[in-house]
Amino acid sequence: MESIESDTDLAGKIEKRISESTIRRLSLYLRALSLLDKKGVKTISSKELASREKLTPAQVRKDLSFFGSFGTRGLGYPVSELRSEIAGILGINRIWKVALFGVGNIGSAMVSYKEFARQGFQIVKLFDNDQRKIGSNHKGIIVSDVSNLEPEIKEAGIEIAIIGVPATVAQYIVDDIVAAGIKAILNFAPINLKVPSDVYLRNENMSMELEYLSFAMVNNHSEKKTKP
Amino acid sequence: MESIESDTDLAGKIEKRISESTIRRLSLYLRALSLLDKKGVKTISSKELASREKLTPAQVRKDLSFFGSFGTRGLGYPVSELRSEIAGILGINRIWKVALFGVGNIGSAMVSYKEFARQGFQIVKLFDNDQRKIGSNHKGIIVSDVSNLEPEIKEAGIEIAIIGVPATVAQYIVDDIVAAGIKAILNFAPINLKVPSDVYLRNENMSMELEYLSFAMVNNHSEKKTKP
DNA sequence: ATCTTTATGTGAAATCGTTCACAATGAAAA
DNA sequence: TTTTCATTGTGAACGATTTCACATAAAGAT
């Protein structure tokens, strides 16, 4: 059934609230579909896709229905087409230029992490404040001085910053990054950063997942589903 | 959000369902309280704690109330005491011995990541299948051959495994790890691992957070809260 | 000793997310 | 062509989570 009000609503009035969970599941669908596409699979049902991600078929259909009707009744969804639809929804059918701040342990891992590039996130600038690191070459990128970030970020067309500096200096760096016009930040520092309301901030807290495992173990609790 | 069942109940009778979100927020509270404790702050109200984590005071109180009454009316919560209560709930008032599989980019970053050790997660074993890496020293740990993992894991008393190997081999390694008796796995490989139902598995998907940022930017999606 | 203020703990209400259930639809078979 | 079958898309029901609102309790002031 076609919905009366289009999701890409012309007037921009009726804004549907898409839950964070739905967006996270879109990432999962995308990964599964990319794999299927590479294998040459042409169509997939919500049931089959759901079972691969340990979700329910209804959940898959509902998630997709927020954005349009991509399937064919009786047949399922066209793998390749759905893959690119989801990429479009997530905004990764393009290249995003990313700058990484802090060429330490985490920073170095990020530069080499192939999965980012595969999703269209290109790390094109590295910044540090350590004179020994500035000027050195990491995977073909010369480390710049963080005290001169604004012109370099603007020139390179950076739109996303990854924070890999220690918690003690993260807020100062972020203030500079925000001042330079960056609107999206992925933070690895174990601290709550303050940013203006028009800047998107996500925190990656790796201890949290270990703590969750620890909790599950000491409480002898059986999970029903494993979430990403 | 999914939940796991909790029997953290004195009588062991009433089984409360603690949501995943609540557990994740406990991690946040713990981090905030550790910082406050170090600063010498003695008490904190739910209002103040909530504002630091961009949550509501009611949420903080409700979360804590699932596990007991830790506060004093009119005054707030005792920082140091609440910190150790939460550490106890999460099961991190002890040392967990961790083995890391795959001494590549991510693996190397994990070994040096101080936050893990600070939370009681001690990486004491490294495994790889690359002959050039086996025998080498990373932060004081000699890399072992993954093909001989069982005796080494048992001898070292490992309870948690971190998977930092490529997606293509992750399932094979995990099968061996499970066979060796490990019951908790933190997976960094971008693949859906299959484990028996008595093994706890968490996935860390770093691309997902970038994709969320990308989605937010292309959709002008205004978040109300920034989730960890 | 009493009053005032502050802040917890918690049922109840409101909100949000998931699953159900089925009409609608197209593909494939007869 | 008509029937059968599989599977989508989606309101409605359900369940879970968050927020509200207030009785309760302790601290500090007078």
Side-chain angles (χ1 to χ4, degrees):
Chain A
M1 254 299 150
E2 303 285 67
S3 70
I4 310 298
E5 70 201 19
S6 149
D7 35 44
T8 0
D9 180 54
L10 292 172
K13 280 271 168 59
I14 305 151
E15 239 182 61
K16 285 184 220 159
R17 177 79 201 168
I18 306 295
S19 75
E20 169 163 344
S21 314
T22 293
I23 305 308
R24 294 174 68 87
R25 284 192 297 267
L26 287 185
S27 291
L28 294 181
Y29 303 152
L30 182 68
R31 202 170 73 182
L33 291 164
S34 299
L35 196 69
L36 289 163
D37 196 19
K38 201 155 49 177
K39 278 195 201 162
V41 177
K42 293 296 176 231
T43 60
I44 189 164
S45 66
S46 59
K47 191 178 161 196
E48 171 65 15
L49 186 52
S51 87
R52 286 170 181 265
E53 299 299 332
K54 296 197 201 105
L55 302 166
T56 65
Q59 178 104 79
V60 172
R61 297 200 298 276
K62 184 65 108 183
D63 283 340
L64 296 175
S65 79
F66 292 133
F67 303 98
S69 315
F70 308 112
T72 304
R73 285 163 202 240
L75 195 62
Y77 297 91
V79 170
S80 174
E81 198 180 306
L82 183 58
R83 199 210 67 83
S84 64
E85 286 284 358
I86 293 178
I89 293 162
L90 291 175
I92 59 169
N93 50 356
R94 49 160 287 184
I95 300 292
W96 289 98
K97 297 209 173 161
V98 179
L100 176 66
F101 294 82
V103 190
N105 305 315
I106 289 172
S108 303
M110 296 299 122
V111 190
S112 312
Y113 191 53
K114 302 217 175 52
E115 203 61 19
F116 284 165
R118 209 171 288 141
Q119 307 293 327
F121 299 103
Q122 242 174 40
I123 297 177
V124 295
K125 279 278 173 188
L126 302 178
F127 291 92
D128 208 298
N129 66 352
D130 185 338
Q131 289 303 324
R132 288 164 301 181
K133 288 176 183 165
I134 295 166
S136 71
N137 186 317
H138 278 249
K139 295 270 165 179
I141 308 167
I142 304 295
V143 178
S144 301
D145 188 337
V146 74
S147 65
N148 184 39
L149 61 84
E150 182 154 0
E152 298 210 41
I153 278 180
K154 294 217 157 125
E155 200 201 335
I158 304 290
E159 291 174 275
I160 301 177
I162 299 180
I163 305 299
V165 303
T168 45
V169 298
Q171 185 64 59
Y172 304 117
I173 303 285
V174 164
D175 291 345
D176 290 351
I177 288 168
V178 168
I182 295 287
K183 295 276 184 261
I185 297 171
L186 176 58
N187 174 40
F188 280 86
I191 189 180
N192 255 310
L193 295 170
K194 286 192 184 44
V195 295
S197 63
D198 65 334
V199 174
Y200 300 108
L201 171 67
R202 301 290 296 177
N203 294 295
E204 188 78 73
N205 187 336
M206 293 181 296
S207 301
M208 202 177 258
E209 296 299 329
L210 280 177
E211 283 165 11
Y212 195 96
L213 282 175
S214 166
F215 173 81
M217 282 190 285
V218 297
N219 292 280
N220 221 13
H221 288 336
S222 51
E223 278 182 291
K224 273 153 304 178
K225 295 175 260 175
T226 302
K227 276 254 190 117
Chain B
M1 280 260 158
E2 103 205 53
S3 337
I4 63 182
E5 278 177 15
S6 174
D7 52 10
T8 357
D9 162 64
L10 292 174
K13 281 264 169 68
I14 305 151
E15 275 200 6
K16 289 180 225 163
R17 275 180 70 84
I18 306 295
S19 76
E20 167 163 346
S21 314
T22 292
I23 305 307
R24 294 173 67 86
R25 284 190 299 267
L26 287 186
S27 292
L28 294 181
Y29 303 151
L30 181 69
R31 201 171 75 181
L33 290 164
S34 299
L35 195 70
L36 288 163
D37 196 18
K38 199 154 52 177
K39 278 195 203 164
V41 177
K42 293 296 175 230
T43 60
I44 189 163
S45 66
S46 59
K47 190 176 162 197
E48 172 65 14
L49 186 51
S51 87
R52 285 169 182 264
E53 299 299 331
K54 295 194 202 110
L55 301 166
T56 65
Q59 178 105 79
V60 171
R61 296 199 300 274
K62 185 65 108 185
D63 284 340
L64 296 175
S65 78
F66 292 134
F67 303 98
S69 314
F70 308 111
T72 304
R73 288 166 200 236
L75 195 62
Y77 299 91
V79 170
S80 175
E81 199 179 306
L82 183 57
R83 200 208 67 81
S84 62
E85 286 284 358
I86 294 177
I89 293 162
L90 291 175
I92 60 168
N93 50 357
R94 50 161 286 184
I95 301 292
W96 289 97
K97 296 208 173 164
V98 180
L100 176 65
F101 294 81
V103 190
N105 305 314
I106 288 172
S108 303
M110 295 302 122
V111 189
S112 313
Y113 191 53
K114 303 217 175 51
E115 203 61 18
F116 285 165
R118 209 170 289 142
Q119 307 294 327
F121 299 102
Q122 241 175 38
I123 297 178
V124 296
K125 279 278 176 192
L126 303 179
F127 291 93
D128 208 297
N129 67 351
D130 186 337
Q131 288 303 326
R132 288 165 299 180
K133 287 176 184 165
I134 294 167
S136 72
N137 185 315
H138 277 250
K139 296 268 164 181
I141 307 167
I142 306 295
V143 179
S144 300
D145 188 338
V146 75
S147 64
N148 184 40
L149 61 84
E150 182 155 357
E152 298 211 40
I153 278 181
K154 294 216 158 127
E155 198 201 335
I158 303 291
E159 292 175 274
I160 302 177
I162 300 180
I163 305 299
V165 303
T168 46
V169 298
Q171 184 64 61
Y172 305 115
I173 303 286
V174 164
D175 291 345
D176 290 351
I177 288 170
V178 168
I182 295 287
K183 295 277 184 259
I185 298 173
L186 177 58
N187 174 41
F188 280 87
I191 189 179
N192 253 310
L193 294 170
K194 286 192 186 42
V195 294
S197 64
D198 65 333
V199 174
Y200 301 107
L201 170 67
R202 302 289 298 177
N203 295 295
E204 188 77 73
N205 186 337
M206 293 182 296
S207 300
M208 201 176 257
E209 296 300 329
L210 280 177
E211 283 165 12
Y212 195 98
L213 282 175
S214 166
F215 173 80
M217 282 191 282
V218 298
N219 293 280
N220 274 326
H221 194 259
S222 49
E223 279 180 293
K224 273 160 302 181
K225 296 176 258 179
T226 305
K227 278 252 190 112

